[in-house]
Amino acid sequence: MKNYYSTERYLHKFLNDKFKTPDIYLKQLNYRFIVDFEQYLLRYRPEKARKTCSNNGAMKHLERLMKMTNLALKLEWLEKDPFKHFKLSYKKHDRSYLSERELKLIEETIFKGEGYEKVKNVFLFSCYTGLSYIDVKELLAQQLVLGINGNYWLHTKRAKTDEMVKIPLLPKAKAIIEKYKEIMLIEGNGKLLPVFSNQKVNSYLKVIIHSCGIHKNITFHSARHTFATTVTLSNGVPIETVSKMLGHAKLSTTQIYARVIKQKVLSDMRSLCSKLNKKNQAETRVPYQ
């Protein structure tokens, strides 16, 4: 809803600046309006010093407007689709994630401040479970379930999609839960881990990443990419399994998160070469008839 309100504010500013009016009729929406609004978003310079709208940011605003016009079409408030000849064009960019070495570096770095240690451990927990910030924040102790194999699992729903996810707990993630078990019992709110506000977490995380000498733009969400790429796929976990643990309804969504890194390609090709060599040797041993 916050994002929709943001788009609404931009629309009001656009109407005031372009048409000198606070509102227009729905039937006045056309292709020209969409294109002009796109250019307005890209050129808009906010009064306060903050980031301007990037191409993908502008596309997000237009995507929200498109959802509203689609609803208007279904309700027959609009006769023509103003987006009929307009195509949303997102620019692909590499999403930051931590390598195995960088992940180990963060694990081995001890911070004096208790707050930094908490943020570090919660971030590492996300790296080993693939959960997003809000899912970790809302995680309850009762969602830690003992499986039939004697190992612990996390049974939760993704806040974003309401998709059910069941994640087998890796030893490092389990150790982080154990570390804060007594503290969380004293707090008595039923939560599994101590999680600060999103703004505070990302602010502390910047200091943590910089202190470890990692020169990447890492946010808390990078933990999901790290889980998908470094922790699971690079260690031979099939993409279908990774997709299930991330709570994705479509495999194509997982492919955005998960890049096959060079080491994995090299390892897979070595395995293929070994299989082909064995196959060739077996064929040469068979006598020709």
Side-chain angles (χ1 to χ4, degrees), residues 194-257:
V195 185
F196 299 144
S197 69
N198 194 22
Q199 190 177 3
K200 194 173 182 179
V201 163
N202 280 310
S203 175
Y204 277 33
L205 197 55
K206 277 186 180 180
V207 177
I208 291 165
I209 298 301
H210 181 74
S211 301
C212 292
I214 298 166
H215 304 290
K216 286 181 181 177
N217 181 28
I218 299 293
T219 63
F220 195 92
H221 201 70
S222 304
R224 263 172 84 77
H225 301 279
T226 302
F227 175 77
T229 308
T230 306
V231 176
T232 53
L233 281 175
S234 297
N235 289 302
V237 179
I239 195 165
E240 293 84 2
T241 306
V242 177
S243 186
K244 204 77 177 167
M245 288 191 286
L246 287 172
H248 290 158
K250 295 185 289 184
L251 200 63
S252 57
T253 312
T254 315
Q255 286 164 342
I256 297 167
Y257 281 74

Side-chain angles (χ1 to χ4, degrees), residues 16-284:
N16 279 315
D17 292 353
K18 176 79 175 175
F19 301 101
K20 310 299 179 194
T21 179
D23 205 356
I24 60 166
Y25 289 105
L26 274 175
K27 65 181 180 182
Q28 289 176 264
L29 287 174
N30 54 24
Y31 177 79
R32 177 65 185 270
F33 181 94
I34 306 302
V35 173
D36 286 347
F37 184 45
E38 178 195 15
Q39 292 306 309
Y40 180 82
L41 289 166
L42 292 170
R43 291 171 185 170
Y44 180 77
R45 294 290 174 267
E47 290 175 13
K48 292 181 181 178
R50 59 181 174 84
K51 282 185 178 179
T52 54
C53 221
S54 64
N55 174 78
N56 287 5
M59 289 303 123
K60 278 289 179 186
H61 287 299
L62 288 165
E63 189 178 352
R64 290 176 206 122
L65 178 59
M66 185 192 283
K67 284 182 181 179
M68 294 297 101
T69 57
N70 283 340
L71 177 61
L73 284 162
K74 286 175 185 176
L75 294 168
E76 297 181 356
W77 294 349
L78 267 176
E79 289 182 10
K80 293 179 181 179
D81 181 6
F83 280 92
K84 187 178 179 181
H85 301 293
F86 186 90
K87 189 179 179 182
L88 297 171
S89 58
Y90 288 98
K91 287 182 181 177
K92 290 182 181 180
H93 58 86
D94 281 339
R95 295 165 189 254
S96 296
Y97 66 95
L98 297 168
S99 66
E100 198 174 331
R101 184 191 67 81
E102 290 163 341
L103 196 56
K104 195 175 179 182
L105 194 61
I106 294 171
E107 285 174 29
E108 292 172 352
T109 306
I110 308 296
F111 294 89
K112 289 180 182 177
E114 190 184 335
Y116 287 103
E117 269 295 294
K118 280 182 180 178
V119 170
K120 182 194 87 170
N121 287 318
V122 170
F123 176 71
L124 288 171
F125 179 82
S126 185
C127 287
Y128 287 111
T129 58
L131 291 173
S132 65
Y133 165 79
I134 191 64
D135 293 331
V136 175
K137 187 176 172 66
E138 298 301 319
L139 210 53
L140 299 171
Q142 66 193 45
Q143 290 172 306
L144 187 63
V145 181
L146 190 63
I148 52 170
N149 59 352
N151 292 330
Y152 280 96
W153 289 62
L154 285 173
H155 288 197
T156 184
K157 273 189 177 183
R158 285 204 64 209
K160 186 179 177 181
T161 59
D162 210 34
E163 194 83 21
M164 188 71 190
V165 285
K166 295 179 181 181
I167 307 159
L169 218 57
L170 291 169
K172 287 182 179 179
K174 180 72 168 66
I176 292 166
I177 292 173
E178 289 295 327
K179 186 180 177 75
Y180 295 104
K181 193 175 182 180
E182 287 184 22
I183 297 169
M184 298 315 290
L185 280 170
I186 293 165
E187 286 192 12
N189 58 9
K191 295 290 176 70
L192 196 65
L193 291 167
V195 185
F196 299 144
S197 69
N198 194 22
Q199 190 177 3
K200 194 173 182 179
V201 163
N202 280 310
S203 175
Y204 277 33
L205 197 55
K206 277 186 180 180
V207 177
I208 291 165
I209 298 301
H210 181 74
S211 301
C212 292
I214 298 166
H215 304 290
K216 286 181 181 177
N217 181 28
I218 299 293
T219 63
F220 195 92
H221 201 70
S222 304
R224 263 172 84 77
H225 301 279
T226 302
F227 175 77
T229 308
T230 306
V231 176
T232 53
L233 281 175
S234 297
N235 289 302
V237 179
I239 195 165
E240 293 84 2
T241 306
V242 177
S243 186
K244 204 77 177 167
M245 288 191 286
L246 287 172
H248 290 158
K250 295 185 289 184
L251 200 63
S252 57
T253 312
T254 315
Q255 286 164 342
I256 297 167
Y257 281 74
R259 276 67 43 95
V260 181
I261 54 178
K262 289 178 184 177
Q263 279 181 313
K264 184 72 173 70
V265 173
L266 192 64
S267 171
D268 289 346
M269 289 308 288
R270 277 178 184 163
S271 177
L272 177 62
C273 286
S274 176
K275 285 178 183 177
L276 290 172
N277 285 335
K278 284 178 183 177
K279 191 177 178 182
N280 289 334
Q281 286 169 11
E283 285 175 354
T284 53

